[in-house]
Amino acid sequence: PQENGGPELWKQKQMPIVGANDRLWNTELCEQGKRCDNVNCNRYHSDVEKRCKHFLKGGCDSSVGECRFGLHVYLMHVNKAYTVRLGDTTEALNRLRTLEERPVDDRAQYSRLVVHDFCAIRGKLLKRFCEALPLLHEIVLADRLREPNLLVFLCDVIEGCATKTPRLREVVFRDGTVQPLW
């Protein structure tokens, strides 16, 4: 259910700023864990978002597979947007499989997920995309205007993946309206 008309003001929104130039962002555990409501917290809330301190200091010896100490990603690289059209389910599932096959360190470079053709029936598919992107900060519903029922449903979907995408806190609509997800 696309909503045609009106400018796509979401395109003018700056990408999420990740880590506020704190070189050791997400290398220490937040004592409040999932209860933390500080959007600028510089500590990790789930192991999936933890960054490897050894890698950041140039001394991690993990060269094969995923590092047990966390993500190997620099803040300056967490600046990408991933776009998906959920309306073409076959293509969306193919893109999801391809995304999930990529190393987690590569997937951690995405802070924005741009979604086209979202509706309630595609909630589980959206959730899987979110869970594949451990440092995801915002979802853009590029072809939808803010609508209270849609927002409630989206919050329910996102709540279910809070441990896999603990930084995901905002949704941006076609007209540039930004809403917190919790």
Side-chain angles (χ1 to χ4, degrees):
Q2 291 185 339
E3 296 179 3
N4 296 321
E8 293 180 316
L9 296 177
W10 70 267
K11 291 180 179 179
Q12 297 174 11
K13 186 179 181 299
Q14 180 180 359
M15 289 291 289
I17 297 172
V18 177
N21 293 319
D22 179 353
R23 198 173 73 80
L24 295 178
W25 178 81
N26 265 19
T27 59
E28 300 292 333
L29 179 63
C30 177
E31 295 168 7
Q32 295 179 9
K34 291 182 261 183
R35 293 183 317 271
C36 180
D37 61 358
N38 178 1
V39 295
N40 296 315
C41 183
N42 65 350
R43 296 171 175 247
Y44 68 90
H45 306 90
S46 173
D47 285 342
V48 298
E49 68 166 336
K50 179 182 178 184
R51 292 171 62 225
C52 175
K53 189 183 292 188
H54 306 291
F55 168 74
L56 299 172
K57 293 182 176 182
C60 186
D61 59 1
S62 177
S63 59
V64 180
E66 293 181 21
C67 174
R68 66 186 176 105
F69 298 112
L71 299 169
H72 285 200
V73 62
Y74 293 109
L75 284 180
M76 66 183 145
H77 295 151
V78 185
N79 62 359
K80 295 181 179 167
Y82 192 88
T83 302
V84 62
R85 293 190 177 281
L86 298 179
D88 182 345
T89 308
T90 302
E91 177 62 22
L93 286 170
N94 287 336
R95 286 182 53 81
L96 178 61
R97 258 185 246 104
T98 301
L99 180 64
E100 290 174 334
E101 290 170 357
R102 293 175 60 188
V104 68
D105 298 330
D106 290 349
R107 292 183 278 127
Q109 295 178 18
Y110 293 93
S111 61
R112 175 183 284 170
L113 177 61
V114 179
V115 178
H116 296 270
D117 308 326
F118 176 71
C119 62
I121 198 165
R122 297 186 185 112
K124 288 182 181 178
L125 185 55
L126 174 62
K127 180 180 176 185
R128 287 185 60 197
F129 273 98
C130 292
E131 291 176 341
L133 304 170
L135 295 181
L136 184 63
H137 280 59
E138 70 181 21
I139 293 176
V140 175
L141 297 182
D143 53 5
R144 299 297 302 261
L145 295 174
R146 185 189 180 285
E147 196 268 309
N149 292 327
L150 177 68
L151 185 58
V152 168
F153 181 77
L154 184 61
C155 288
D156 288 344
V157 169
I158 300 310
E159 184 178 17
C161 59
T163 58
K164 296 198 177 177
T165 57
R167 296 286 173 170
L168 178 55
R169 294 181 185 238
E170 291 184 339
V171 60
V172 182
F173 294 93
R174 176 188 176 91
D175 64 357
T177 302
V178 178
Q179 280 287 154
L181 290 166
W182 33 49

mmCIF file of all heavy atoms in Angstrom, residues 82-84 86 89-102 107 113 124-133:
data_model
loop_
_atom_site.group_PDB
_atom_site.id
_atom_site.type_symbol
_atom_site.label_atom_id
_atom_site.label_comp_id
_atom_site.label_asym_id
_atom_site.label_seq_id
_atom_site.Cartn_x
_atom_site.Cartn_y
_atom_site.Cartn_z
ATOM 1 N N TYR A 82 20.630 0.416 3.797
ATOM 2 C CA TYR A 82 20.241 -0.767 3.049
ATOM 3 C C TYR A 82 18.795 -0.579 2.619
ATOM 4 O O TYR A 82 17.941 -0.239 3.446
ATOM 5 C CB TYR A 82 20.382 -2.029 3.915
ATOM 6 C CG TYR A 82 20.278 -3.305 3.137
ATOM 7 C CD1 TYR A 82 21.398 -3.878 2.566
ATOM 8 C CD2 TYR A 82 19.050 -3.933 2.951
ATOM 9 C CE1 TYR A 82 21.309 -5.046 1.838
ATOM 10 C CE2 TYR A 82 18.948 -5.098 2.224
ATOM 11 C CZ TYR A 82 20.082 -5.649 1.662
ATOM 12 O OH TYR A 82 19.990 -6.808 0.923
ATOM 13 N N THR A 83 18.512 -0.793 1.342
ATOM 14 C CA THR A 83 17.165 -0.571 0.803
ATOM 15 C C THR A 83 16.542 -1.888 0.384
ATOM 16 O O THR A 83 17.195 -2.720 -0.250
ATOM 17 C CB THR A 83 17.226 0.391 -0.398
ATOM 18 O OG1 THR A 83 17.815 1.619 0.026
ATOM 19 C CG2 THR A 83 15.842 0.669 -0.962
ATOM 20 N N VAL A 84 15.269 -2.051 0.732
ATOM 21 C CA VAL A 84 14.550 -3.268 0.361
ATOM 22 C C VAL A 84 13.107 -2.917 -0.001
ATOM 23 O O VAL A 84 12.507 -2.031 0.592
ATOM 24 C CB VAL A 84 14.587 -4.317 1.502
ATOM 25 C CG1 VAL A 84 13.909 -3.811 2.748
ATOM 26 C CG2 VAL A 84 13.989 -5.632 1.051
ATOM 27 N N LEU A 86 9.691 -4.668 0.089
ATOM 28 C CA LEU A 86 9.026 -5.844 0.648
ATOM 29 C C LEU A 86 7.870 -6.330 -0.209
ATOM 30 O O LEU A 86 7.424 -7.467 -0.054
ATOM 31 C CB LEU A 86 8.532 -5.537 2.069
ATOM 32 C CG LEU A 86 9.613 -5.193 3.092
ATOM 33 C CD1 LEU A 86 8.973 -4.886 4.446
ATOM 34 C CD2 LEU A 86 10.631 -6.302 3.219
ATOM 35 N N THR A 89 7.981 -10.169 -2.663
ATOM 36 C CA THR A 89 8.425 -11.081 -1.613
ATOM 37 C C THR A 89 9.580 -11.966 -2.060
ATOM 38 O O THR A 89 10.526 -12.182 -1.295
ATOM 39 C CB THR A 89 7.245 -11.956 -1.133
ATOM 40 O OG1 THR A 89 6.160 -11.094 -0.792
ATOM 41 C CG2 THR A 89 7.625 -12.764 0.080
ATOM 42 N N THR A 90 9.529 -12.460 -3.281
ATOM 43 C CA THR A 90 10.600 -13.336 -3.772
ATOM 44 C C THR A 90 11.927 -12.585 -3.802
ATOM 45 O O THR A 90 12.941 -13.083 -3.303
ATOM 46 C CB THR A 90 10.267 -13.874 -5.179
ATOM 47 O OG1 THR A 90 9.024 -14.575 -5.111
ATOM 48 C CG2 THR A 90 11.351 -14.797 -5.684
ATOM 49 N N GLU A 91 11.920 -11.393 -4.355
ATOM 50 C CA GLU A 91 13.143 -10.591 -4.410
ATOM 51 C C GLU A 91 13.616 -10.208 -3.008
ATOM 52 O O GLU A 91 14.804 -10.253 -2.706
ATOM 53 C CB GLU A 91 12.924 -9.335 -5.254
ATOM 54 C CG GLU A 91 14.113 -8.401 -5.316
ATOM 55 C CD GLU A 91 15.365 -9.008 -5.950
ATOM 56 O OE1 GLU A 91 15.255 -9.987 -6.713
ATOM 57 O OE2 GLU A 91 16.466 -8.491 -5.665
ATOM 58 N N ALA A 92 12.670 -9.852 -2.128
ATOM 59 C CA ALA A 92 13.028 -9.474 -0.755
ATOM 60 C C ALA A 92 13.670 -10.657 -0.023
ATOM 61 O O ALA A 92 14.677 -10.484 0.679
ATOM 62 C CB ALA A 92 11.802 -8.979 -0.003
ATOM 63 N N LEU A 93 13.114 -11.859 -0.189
ATOM 64 C CA LEU A 93 13.701 -13.038 0.452
ATOM 65 C C LEU A 93 15.082 -13.353 -0.101
ATOM 66 O O LEU A 93 15.987 -13.744 0.654
ATOM 67 C CB LEU A 93 12.769 -14.239 0.305
ATOM 68 C CG LEU A 93 11.535 -14.214 1.200
ATOM 69 C CD1 LEU A 93 10.552 -15.309 0.802
ATOM 70 C CD2 LEU A 93 11.923 -14.331 2.664
ATOM 71 N N ASN A 94 15.274 -13.172 -1.403
ATOM 72 C CA ASN A 94 16.600 -13.371 -1.997
ATOM 73 C C ASN A 94 17.602 -12.375 -1.430
ATOM 74 O O ASN A 94 18.741 -12.727 -1.100
ATOM 75 C CB ASN A 94 16.551 -13.249 -3.521
ATOM 76 C CG ASN A 94 15.898 -14.448 -4.175
ATOM 77 O OD1 ASN A 94 15.867 -15.545 -3.602
ATOM 78 N ND2 ASN A 94 15.360 -14.259 -5.361
ATOM 79 N N ARG A 95 17.175 -11.119 -1.314
ATOM 80 C CA ARG A 95 18.068 -10.089 -0.748
ATOM 81 C C ARG A 95 18.371 -10.390 0.723
ATOM 82 O O ARG A 95 19.493 -10.187 1.178
ATOM 83 C CB ARG A 95 17.451 -8.703 -0.897
ATOM 84 C CG ARG A 95 17.505 -8.206 -2.352
ATOM 85 C CD ARG A 95 16.952 -6.811 -2.536
ATOM 86 N NE ARG A 95 17.503 -5.793 -1.672
ATOM 87 C CZ ARG A 95 18.657 -5.150 -1.859
ATOM 88 N NH1 ARG A 95 19.402 -5.443 -2.902
ATOM 89 N NH2 ARG A 95 19.063 -4.212 -1.023
ATOM 90 N N LEU A 96 17.393 -10.884 1.449
ATOM 91 C CA LEU A 96 17.612 -11.225 2.850
ATOM 92 C C LEU A 96 18.625 -12.361 2.971
ATOM 93 O O LEU A 96 19.542 -12.302 3.793
ATOM 94 C CB LEU A 96 16.291 -11.622 3.516
ATOM 95 C CG LEU A 96 16.388 -12.038 4.980
ATOM 96 C CD1 LEU A 96 16.918 -10.901 5.848
ATOM 97 C CD2 LEU A 96 15.023 -12.502 5.487
ATOM 98 N N ARG A 97 18.479 -13.395 2.161
ATOM 99 C CA ARG A 97 19.431 -14.508 2.188
ATOM 100 C C ARG A 97 20.843 -14.021 1.884
ATOM 101 O O ARG A 97 21.800 -14.387 2.572
ATOM 102 C CB ARG A 97 19.017 -15.587 1.175
ATOM 103 C CG ARG A 97 18.343 -16.753 1.825
ATOM 104 C CD ARG A 97 18.042 -17.872 0.850
ATOM 105 N NE ARG A 97 16.591 -17.978 0.744
ATOM 106 C CZ ARG A 97 15.858 -17.548 -0.268
ATOM 107 N NH1 ARG A 97 16.415 -17.027 -1.324
ATOM 108 N NH2 ARG A 97 14.558 -17.670 -0.248
ATOM 109 N N THR A 98 20.959 -13.187 0.872
ATOM 110 C CA THR A 98 22.273 -12.640 0.505
ATOM 111 C C THR A 98 22.844 -11.802 1.641
ATOM 112 O O THR A 98 24.033 -11.901 1.957
ATOM 113 C CB THR A 98 22.161 -11.785 -0.780
ATOM 114 O OG1 THR A 98 21.645 -12.617 -1.831
ATOM 115 C CG2 THR A 98 23.488 -11.207 -1.188
ATOM 116 N N LEU A 99 21.997 -11.000 2.258
ATOM 117 C CA LEU A 99 22.435 -10.166 3.378
ATOM 118 C C LEU A 99 22.902 -11.029 4.545
ATOM 119 O O LEU A 99 23.976 -10.804 5.114
ATOM 120 C CB LEU A 99 21.294 -9.242 3.819
ATOM 121 C CG LEU A 99 21.572 -8.299 4.989
ATOM 122 C CD1 LEU A 99 22.666 -7.297 4.637
ATOM 123 C CD2 LEU A 99 20.287 -7.579 5.400
ATOM 124 N N GLU A 100 22.120 -12.030 4.902
ATOM 125 C CA GLU A 100 22.461 -12.886 6.035
ATOM 126 C C GLU A 100 23.736 -13.696 5.800
ATOM 127 O O GLU A 100 24.421 -14.066 6.759
ATOM 128 C CB GLU A 100 21.302 -13.832 6.348
ATOM 129 C CG GLU A 100 20.098 -13.123 6.942
ATOM 130 C CD GLU A 100 18.886 -14.020 7.114
ATOM 131 O OE1 GLU A 100 18.750 -15.029 6.364
ATOM 132 O OE2 GLU A 100 18.067 -13.706 7.976
ATOM 133 N N GLU A 101 24.077 -13.956 4.537
ATOM 134 C CA GLU A 101 25.290 -14.696 4.213
ATOM 135 C C GLU A 101 26.551 -13.844 4.346
ATOM 136 O O GLU A 101 27.643 -14.379 4.455
ATOM 137 C CB GLU A 101 25.200 -15.270 2.800
ATOM 138 C CG GLU A 101 24.193 -16.400 2.679
ATOM 139 C CD GLU A 101 23.938 -16.811 1.235
ATOM 140 O OE1 GLU A 101 24.499 -16.181 0.301
ATOM 141 O OE2 GLU A 101 23.152 -17.758 1.035
ATOM 142 N N ARG A 102 26.382 -12.533 4.340
ATOM 143 C CA ARG A 102 27.536 -11.638 4.474
ATOM 144 C C ARG A 102 28.078 -11.688 5.902
ATOM 145 O O ARG A 102 27.325 -11.911 6.851
ATOM 146 C CB ARG A 102 27.148 -10.207 4.117
ATOM 147 C CG ARG A 102 26.798 -10.075 2.631
ATOM 148 C CD ARG A 102 26.307 -8.728 2.263
ATOM 149 N NE ARG A 102 27.300 -7.698 2.531
ATOM 150 C CZ ARG A 102 27.063 -6.408 2.441
ATOM 151 N NH1 ARG A 102 25.871 -5.969 2.112
ATOM 152 N NH2 ARG A 102 28.013 -5.543 2.688
ATOM 153 N N ARG A 107 27.703 -6.388 7.769
ATOM 154 C CA ARG A 107 26.320 -5.997 8.044
ATOM 155 C C ARG A 107 26.226 -4.924 9.126
ATOM 156 O O ARG A 107 25.275 -4.160 9.177
ATOM 157 C CB ARG A 107 25.495 -7.226 8.453
ATOM 158 C CG ARG A 107 25.308 -8.195 7.298
ATOM 159 C CD ARG A 107 24.432 -9.375 7.665
ATOM 160 N NE ARG A 107 25.203 -10.388 8.356
ATOM 161 C CZ ARG A 107 24.872 -10.907 9.539
ATOM 162 N NH1 ARG A 107 23.801 -10.511 10.177
ATOM 163 N NH2 ARG A 107 25.636 -11.830 10.085
ATOM 164 N N LEU A 113 17.788 1.435 7.516
ATOM 165 C CA LEU A 113 17.098 0.487 6.650
ATOM 166 C C LEU A 113 15.964 1.236 5.963
ATOM 167 O O LEU A 113 15.060 1.737 6.629
ATOM 168 C CB LEU A 113 16.535 -0.687 7.471
ATOM 169 C CG LEU A 113 15.725 -1.735 6.714
ATOM 170 C CD1 LEU A 113 16.572 -2.422 5.639
ATOM 171 C CD2 LEU A 113 15.157 -2.772 7.685
ATOM 172 N N LYS A 124 6.899 -9.828 9.754
ATOM 173 C CA LYS A 124 7.924 -10.834 10.066
ATOM 174 C C LYS A 124 9.137 -10.699 9.139
ATOM 175 O O LYS A 124 10.277 -10.879 9.573
ATOM 176 C CB LYS A 124 7.346 -12.238 9.969
ATOM 177 C CG LYS A 124 6.410 -12.568 11.093
ATOM 178 C CD LYS A 124 5.897 -13.989 11.004
ATOM 179 C CE LYS A 124 4.937 -14.272 12.145
ATOM 180 N NZ LYS A 124 4.383 -15.622 12.077
ATOM 181 N N LEU A 125 8.897 -10.369 7.888
ATOM 182 C CA LEU A 125 9.994 -10.184 6.945
ATOM 183 C C LEU A 125 10.820 -8.951 7.333
ATOM 184 O O LEU A 125 12.052 -9.004 7.335
ATOM 185 C CB LEU A 125 9.443 -10.050 5.520
ATOM 186 C CG LEU A 125 10.453 -9.971 4.388
ATOM 187 C CD1 LEU A 125 11.411 -11.151 4.394
ATOM 188 C CD2 LEU A 125 9.709 -9.894 3.047
ATOM 189 N N LEU A 126 10.149 -7.878 7.692
ATOM 190 C CA LEU A 126 10.858 -6.682 8.148
ATOM 191 C C LEU A 126 11.700 -6.993 9.381
ATOM 192 O O LEU A 126 12.855 -6.573 9.481
ATOM 193 C CB LEU A 126 9.876 -5.552 8.453
ATOM 194 C CG LEU A 126 10.494 -4.294 9.066
ATOM 195 C CD1 LEU A 126 11.497 -3.661 8.106
ATOM 196 C CD2 LEU A 126 9.415 -3.298 9.443
ATOM 197 N N LYS A 127 11.148 -7.737 10.294
ATOM 198 C CA LYS A 127 11.874 -8.111 11.516
ATOM 199 C C LYS A 127 13.160 -8.856 11.185
ATOM 200 O O LYS A 127 14.209 -8.591 11.772
ATOM 201 C CB LYS A 127 10.976 -8.964 12.413
ATOM 202 C CG LYS A 127 11.634 -9.388 13.700
ATOM 203 C CD LYS A 127 10.696 -10.237 14.540
ATOM 204 C CE LYS A 127 11.413 -10.740 15.775
ATOM 205 N NZ LYS A 127 10.607 -11.651 16.562
ATOM 206 N N ARG A 128 13.109 -9.743 10.229
ATOM 207 C CA ARG A 128 14.314 -10.505 9.848
ATOM 208 C C ARG A 128 15.383 -9.591 9.257
ATOM 209 O O ARG A 128 16.574 -9.775 9.527
ATOM 210 C CB ARG A 128 13.947 -11.617 8.874
ATOM 211 C CG ARG A 128 13.202 -12.750 9.576
ATOM 212 C CD ARG A 128 12.935 -13.913 8.676
ATOM 213 N NE ARG A 128 14.157 -14.491 8.145
ATOM 214 C CZ ARG A 128 14.177 -15.313 7.089
ATOM 215 N NH1 ARG A 128 13.047 -15.635 6.477
ATOM 216 N NH2 ARG A 128 15.322 -15.804 6.663
ATOM 217 N N PHE A 129 14.969 -8.601 8.469
ATOM 218 C CA PHE A 129 15.944 -7.644 7.949
ATOM 219 C C PHE A 129 16.580 -6.859 9.093
ATOM 220 O O PHE A 129 17.793 -6.666 9.125
ATOM 221 C CB PHE A 129 15.304 -6.683 6.936
ATOM 222 C CG PHE A 129 15.303 -7.201 5.543
ATOM 223 C CD1 PHE A 129 14.175 -7.813 5.018
ATOM 224 C CD2 PHE A 129 16.425 -7.091 4.735
ATOM 225 C CE1 PHE A 129 14.170 -8.300 3.719
ATOM 226 C CE2 PHE A 129 16.433 -7.587 3.437
ATOM 227 C CZ PHE A 129 15.295 -8.193 2.933
ATOM 228 N N CYS A 130 15.761 -6.420 10.024
ATOM 229 C CA CYS A 130 16.285 -5.662 11.173
ATOM 230 C C CYS A 130 17.291 -6.496 11.965
ATOM 231 O O CYS A 130 18.358 -6.008 12.337
ATOM 232 C CB CYS A 130 15.157 -5.212 12.087
ATOM 233 S SG CYS A 130 14.071 -3.973 11.363
ATOM 234 N N GLU A 131 16.950 -7.738 12.222
ATOM 235 C CA GLU A 131 17.818 -8.609 13.008
ATOM 236 C C GLU A 131 19.141 -8.908 12.318
ATOM 237 O O GLU A 131 20.126 -9.245 12.978
ATOM 238 C CB GLU A 131 17.094 -9.912 13.340
ATOM 239 C CG GLU A 131 15.959 -9.716 14.314
ATOM 240 C CD GLU A 131 15.161 -10.978 14.583
ATOM 241 O OE1 GLU A 131 15.232 -11.935 13.782
ATOM 242 O OE2 GLU A 131 14.447 -10.982 15.603
ATOM 243 N N ALA A 132 19.197 -8.768 11.013
ATOM 244 C CA ALA A 132 20.432 -9.016 10.271
ATOM 245 C C ALA A 132 21.398 -7.837 10.339
ATOM 246 O O ALA A 132 22.555 -7.965 9.944
ATOM 247 C CB ALA A 132 20.108 -9.329 8.809
ATOM 248 N N LEU A 133 20.942 -6.693 10.860
ATOM 249 C CA LEU A 133 21.750 -5.470 10.875
ATOM 250 C C LEU A 133 21.988 -5.043 12.328
ATOM 251 O O LEU A 133 21.205 -4.290 12.904
ATOM 252 C CB LEU A 133 21.036 -4.367 10.086
ATOM 253 C CG LEU A 133 20.685 -4.722 8.636
ATOM 254 C CD1 LEU A 133 19.774 -3.666 8.024
ATOM 255 C CD2 LEU A 133 21.948 -4.906 7.809
#
